[in-house]
Amino acid sequence: MNAKVLKTLEYNKIIARLTEHATSDPGRKLCRELTPMTELDDIRTAQRETGDALTRLFKKGSISFGNNRELGMSLKSLEIGATLSAPELLRIAGLLENAGRVKAYGRQEREDMEEDSLTPLFQGIEPLTPVSNEIYRCILSEEEISDDASPGLKHVRRSMAVTTDRIHSQLSGMVNGSLHSYLQDALITSRNGRYCIPVKAEYRSQVPGMIHDQSSTGSTLFIEPAAVVNLNNQMRELEIKEQEEIEKVLAALSAQVADHAEDIAENQKILTRLDFVFAKASLALEQNATEPVFNNEHIINIRGARHPLLDKKTTVPIDIRLGRDYDLLIITGPNTGGKTVSLKTTGLFCLMGQAGLHIPALDRSELSIFHEVYADIGDEQSIEQSLSTFSSHMTSIVSILKNADADSLCLFDELGAGTDPTEGAALAIAILNYLHDRGIRTMATTHYSELKVYALSTSFVENACCEFDVESLRPTYRLLIGIPGKSNAFAISSRLGLSDEIIDAARTQISAEDKSFEDLLTDLEQSRVTIEKEQQEIAAYKREIEALKKQLEAKQEKIDQAKERILREANEQAREILQDAKNTADETIRAFQKAGPGASMKDLEKAREKLRGKISDKNEKLAVKNDQPATAGLKPSQLKLGETVRIVSMGLKGTVSTLPDNKGNLFVQCGIIRTQTNIRDLVLVQEKDAATTAKGARTGSGKIRMSKSLSVSAEINLLGKTVDEAMSVLDKYLDDAYLAHLPSVRIVHGKGTGALRSAVQNHLRRVKYVKSYRLGEYGEGDAGVTIVEFKS
């Protein structure tokens, strides 16, 4: 890309912001060197790396590369066998320590997680933890080596400490003893690495020793007493040995580092690359940017674009389309309405996308690859070169037309401006036709009505305008493609206070064709505003309908759940009733068997009355409430002997044997069984129902199965239950479903941790009447459900 367009479209400012997000000097250097690419594979690879880094930022947060430093000179020194200094070794240890943190950051949390484009980089890092640990063990700081760095250094320093104690002991005796009166101060000091005492000048002859220094006034001499000269000499020798031991430690560490010089160089390279990639991702996170989709067809379709250098809270998003249905886009509208920003946004997004940066727009925005982007934006008038506004623009346009080709994107601000409007418009149309003939994608802004007409009458050109609110005299900054813009000069002048007389006079100066055209634009604008309002109302209605639909679905779901619960409870009650009936029948048979053939009628009648009492009590409990419409209107006068009735609580049909007494009790003959019940538990059966009953009542089991099949759902929901609760409910449900002759059922257990799914399938293995089971397929609930088939 040419350097001029990078500056014109403010790409350099984007790079400056990108550099701020890098955390190491090498990473920042790589950011500053970033330029747009032209190879599709390279661009897609860079975009994928940015996207993968952004995903990791969302999942794990940020990572620092601050200890990543340039190590070129240090590594070259190691190649020739030189010894590194303590600061150089510490920098290498810091880089290795940073490499360890980055390696841990990039490690996948689970083995089944998919690898991304950054995985090979993270895997290529070798932290060399033993090397960095050894450096930190031996070197405490840039000026201090640990005593434990080597046995020899530890021995020398121990000897130095002993010698220092002996020197201080002897000098302390002199300072506090016989020489006290000769001293300027009662202290021990050091000069040129030798321990001395401050002696008054007049007592020089009283203190034998070597003079190493004197005060500025000459009144104090710093003398090394003869008694400690040998000890000071020993101390000096130990200091030399200490330095030799330190050199040995640094040499050993340097040799150890030299063995891994290639790994360290590779680590530094990878950390720099990762710092650069994560800087791009951090910038995308700051700008709320997304990855664009690239094509080779010179098609641009940017959705909800926001210029990255404007405040994202106040910027009005715009949609920009070019290259699919038209080659040229002409943007019109008043000044300060956003025309130039639209041009810059388009060009800058192309540069950012081709540099591997995400763009602040909605996802699925499309960009194409352009080998060059040319922009004639702004006034480059030059006094020194005697160039007018028109001349400066034309000079730039001539250069663009000379160099542009089919792989270029051209952006012109106020094309043809700065000269006679008629000639300028004609020249602009000729330039646009020339660009179209060469297949060059172009965007241009203008105030000329001729260009608006040109766009309306030419198939490969499209109009666009930046919307302007005449009432508030403010632009909305919305880009409307397909609609030519008005200058609104008369309306703006009127709102600002220009007299109607002057405005009317101005209108007379406009030709009839221009006036008609402006009136047409006014009608189009009014129609557009009306349509937008209607679309907003329709969208509001759609949202309201969607909300009502969701409410209805929620209510229906509650009703279905309530229905299922009621049927389940009714099923339980029916089972209890059947069990009670069976128990009563068994008790009746046992009572008659117990009575035996010699029992008297009185005893049999007594037993029968006892059982009848139990049945009556049960009927009282299960009697249909008076507020139910099926029995509320039944009166004793409606019953006749031989009338067909149904005992609601028992689900049996029979004929009336006796009329009800004053309490409503009566006898009903049900087949061979004659039972006592109450009128409140009876419902009249129409002749048609009775006939149907007689026809269909071949077996009791048939009725039970039919009732069961009508009440058992083909699906059971175990969500929210523990494994124990779910197994209890599932066991009963499978029995009911099998008795109801359901061919298959659907068990909803959800995905979750998989514990409930495993428990369900383990239980199904033990059920004998289960033919087969499988997990749900796509559309059936996937792994969240199990489909069960019963044996026939």
Side-chain angles (χ1 to χ4, degrees), residues 78-79 135 343 404 413 689:
L78 292 176
E79 290 179 4
I135 293 174
L343 287 183
D413 190 22
D689 296 339

Side-chain angles (χ1 to χ4, degrees), residues 271-320:
L271 291 179
T272 301
R273 179 70 182 174
L274 286 174
D275 189 15
F276 166 68
V277 172
F278 274 88
K280 294 194 296 180
S282 181
L283 179 65
L285 184 63
E286 177 186 80
Q287 296 178 345
N288 194 23
T290 61
E291 179 180 350
V293 179
F294 273 88
N295 61 77
N296 274 322
E297 302 170 5
H298 298 156
I299 295 174
I300 296 175
N301 182 18
I302 306 174
R303 304 167 56 249
R306 293 172 284 101
H307 196 286
L309 298 179
L310 299 178
D311 186 356
K312 64 182 179 182
K313 295 181 180 178
T314 58
T315 303
V316 177
I318 59 174
D319 296 338
I320 304 170

Side-chain angles (χ1 to χ4, degrees), residues 2 6 191 205 224 238-239 386 399 422 476 563 587 682 763:
N2 59 89
L6 299 180
R191 289 292 185 275
S205 60
E224 176 188 5
L238 290 173
E239 288 175 353
S386 300
S399 175
T422 303
T476 65
K563 177 182 177 182
E587 188 175 351
L682 297 180
H763 180 77

